[in-house]
Amino acid sequence: PCWRLLHPGQTEKCPSCPLTNLFSDGPETPKRLSWELQMPETGKWYQVKNSIIDWIQEGKAHLGTLSDITYRKQYEAQLQRLASTDAMTDVYNRKWGSEKLRKRFQADAAARARQTLCFADLDGLKRINDLLGHAAGDEMILNVIRVASSCIRKDDFIVRWGGDEFVIFLN
């Protein structure tokens, strides 16, 4: 049984086993099921596919496949991170930050009353870039982000709005 393979040490089928639906004969009965599963013991991800097939003179049989998709899930997480964060500062970029802010401000009135939005513009960045070079300007930005990140809580976040402009959301 699949539960022995997926959950070593388990002695019976999973309480939420979707395979029971595969064997019922109703008009809404699915003939194939597919889902993704992460193993808590190893952290690995699997795509599980199950179907019912007609077996030679034996009636119906359960066919299940299990594919390791850990690398795909890691790649998806990396793509998500690259799409949502500013490459230099590793804080949210403007596009993703705007969406996250929009969702936060759609909260109920009581939650909104406890939220603070700060706009920060780093004065003098152009002068530092002109006098000391862009590497020095980048270092200044990174130092400011490092300090700001150490001062905010887990539910708070920073968005790089533009070159030297940042939005800090305090929940």
Side-chain angles (χ1 to χ4, degrees), residues 55-75:
W55 198 247
I56 304 170
Q57 298 177 353
E58 299 292 328
K60 304 243 181 253
H62 166 224
L63 175 65
T65 61
L66 185 69
S67 304
D68 186 341
I69 58 169
T70 305
Y71 291 122
R72 189 191 89 198
K73 295 299 267 186
Q74 290 169 344
Y75 186 66

Side-chain angles (χ1 to χ4, degrees), residues 118-120 122 141 145 158-161 164-168:
C118 305
F119 291 91
L122 307 183
I141 290 172
I145 291 300
I158 301 173
V159 179
R160 187 169 188 188
W161 207 252
D164 65 346
E165 299 169 335
F166 296 87
V167 174
I168 304 170

Side-chain angles (χ1 to χ4, degrees), residues 8 14 21 53 61 86 88 99 146 168:
C14 303
N21 295 335
I53 60 171
D86 175 65
M88 184 177 84
E99 183 62 23
R146 217 173 283 125
I168 304 170

Side-chain angles (χ1 to χ4, degrees), residues 1-162:
C2 56
W3 47 267
R4 282 192 185 148
L5 177 65
L6 295 174
H7 306 287
Q10 189 167 314
T11 57
E12 56 190 38
K13 75 177 187 173
C14 303
S16 60
C17 181
L19 296 180
T20 308
N21 295 335
L22 283 175
F23 285 99
S24 61
D25 287 329
E28 302 293 319
T29 302
K31 298 302 174 210
R32 294 185 187 111
L33 292 173
S34 177
W35 68 93
E36 294 177 354
L37 169 74
Q38 185 177 27
M39 299 298 290
E41 301 86 16
T42 63
K44 287 189 163 211
W45 280 93
Y46 295 94
Q47 182 173 37
V48 182
K49 293 182 179 181
N50 287 283
S51 59
I52 300 300
I53 60 171
D54 291 321
W55 198 247
I56 304 170
Q57 298 177 353
E58 299 292 328
K60 304 243 181 253
H62 166 224
L63 175 65
T65 61
L66 185 69
S67 304
D68 186 341
I69 58 169
T70 305
Y71 291 122
R72 189 191 89 198
K73 295 299 267 186
Q74 290 169 344
Y75 186 66
E76 288 171 357
Q78 182 182 11
L79 287 176
Q80 176 73 22
R81 189 177 152 280
L82 290 172
S84 64
T85 58
D86 175 65
M88 184 177 84
T89 60
D90 205 33
V91 298
Y92 285 113
N93 62 30
R94 184 175 184 151
K95 181 179 185 227
W96 282 77
S98 297
E99 183 62 23
K100 195 163 174 83
L101 287 167
R102 185 185 66 74
K103 287 178 182 175
R104 291 292 179 103
F105 284 113
Q106 286 179 339
D108 62 50
R112 281 196 314 269
R114 295 184 306 271
Q115 297 172 339
T116 303
L117 194 61
C118 305
F119 291 91
D121 186 339
L122 307 183
D123 289 337
L125 181 63
K126 181 178 178 355
R127 188 159 189 255
I128 289 172
N129 283 340
D130 290 346
L131 291 175
L132 303 173
H134 286 273
D138 290 351
E139 189 60 33
M140 184 185 96
I141 290 172
L142 289 171
N143 283 332
V144 168
I145 291 300
R146 217 173 283 125
V147 169
S149 295
S150 71
C151 296
I152 63 174
R153 297 165 296 204
K154 187 176 182 178
D155 287 346
D156 305 335
F157 59 89
I158 301 173
V159 179
R160 187 169 188 188
W161 207 252

